[in-house]
Amino acid sequence: MEKIKYQEENHLSVQEFQEVLIASTLGERRPVADLKRLEIMLRHANLILTARKDGLLVGVARSLTDQAFCTYLSDLAVHRDFQKQGIGKTLILKTKAAYPLAKLILLSAPKAVDYYPKIGMSRHPHCYFLDDPTKVT
């Protein structure tokens, strides 16, 4: 049995992405039933790092980055059977290491709010988002 293998996979299959999202708690907040939308999410990400155990995708970090100022870590998913083994933390560190000048930014899933400070990430109180542009006054 081999250890976890980390690599950049910017052409990850939509099926594997869907499977790891479903197998993690992140699947609750992603359009996992819409393969076309998942495929678009993958195609437009420009940094996808994976964690594999014996070839099985057990973790993914999907990011959008300008490589110099900011990297937005949009999806961090670790298969529930492989959580609490440092895979998420390693994916975060490898994402940051890919472009060291860029600030790593993410929005926490509700179940992970307490996780990020434990691994040394700082909280930022000034985040805003817009889902419905008709609500702008």
Side-chain angles (χ1 to χ4, degrees):
M1 195 176 306
E2 65 183 56
K3 64 181 188 169
I4 303 296
K5 180 179 178 186
Y6 297 92
Q7 61 194 6
E8 187 170 339
E9 288 189 59
N10 287 326
H11 300 289
L12 183 65
S13 82
V14 69
Q15 291 80 16
E16 281 189 300
F17 184 52
Q18 178 193 44
E19 288 169 9
V20 79
L21 289 174
I22 291 170
S24 74
T25 61
L26 195 58
E28 300 165 9
R29 286 166 304 288
R30 295 298 184 270
V32 294
D34 188 343
L35 288 179
K36 182 174 173 84
R37 194 167 175 197
L38 290 179
E39 194 278 324
I40 293 168
M41 290 165 60
L42 286 171
R43 185 174 356 121
H44 291 284
N46 58 353
L47 179 61
I48 299 172
L49 302 179
T50 61
R52 292 184 180 273
K53 174 77 171 182
D54 299 320
L56 175 69
L57 182 66
V58 298
V60 65
R62 185 183 72 88
S63 302
L64 303 128
T65 182
D66 63 18
Q67 303 177 1
F69 184 70
C70 65
T71 298
Y72 172 59
L73 177 50
S74 181
D75 300 314
L76 178 66
V78 176
H79 189 295
R80 70 178 57 84
D81 294 344
F82 293 86
Q83 291 177 2
K84 300 185 189 305
Q85 296 180 31
I87 295 170
K89 180 178 177 179
T90 301
L91 285 168
I92 289 169
L93 290 172
K94 288 184 175 297
T95 298
K96 175 63 176 162
Y99 301 104
L101 293 177
K103 182 181 293 286
L104 182 74
I105 302 163
L106 63 80
L107 297 175
S108 177
K111 292 181 181 177
V113 168
D114 295 328
Y115 169 74
Y116 297 107
K118 286 180 186 174
I119 64 166
M121 293 186 75
S122 301
R123 185 180 185 117
H124 193 285
H126 306 294
C127 175
Y128 300 91
F129 65 93
L130 177 64
D131 275 333
D132 184 352
T134 64
K135 305 240 173 159
V136 174
T137 57

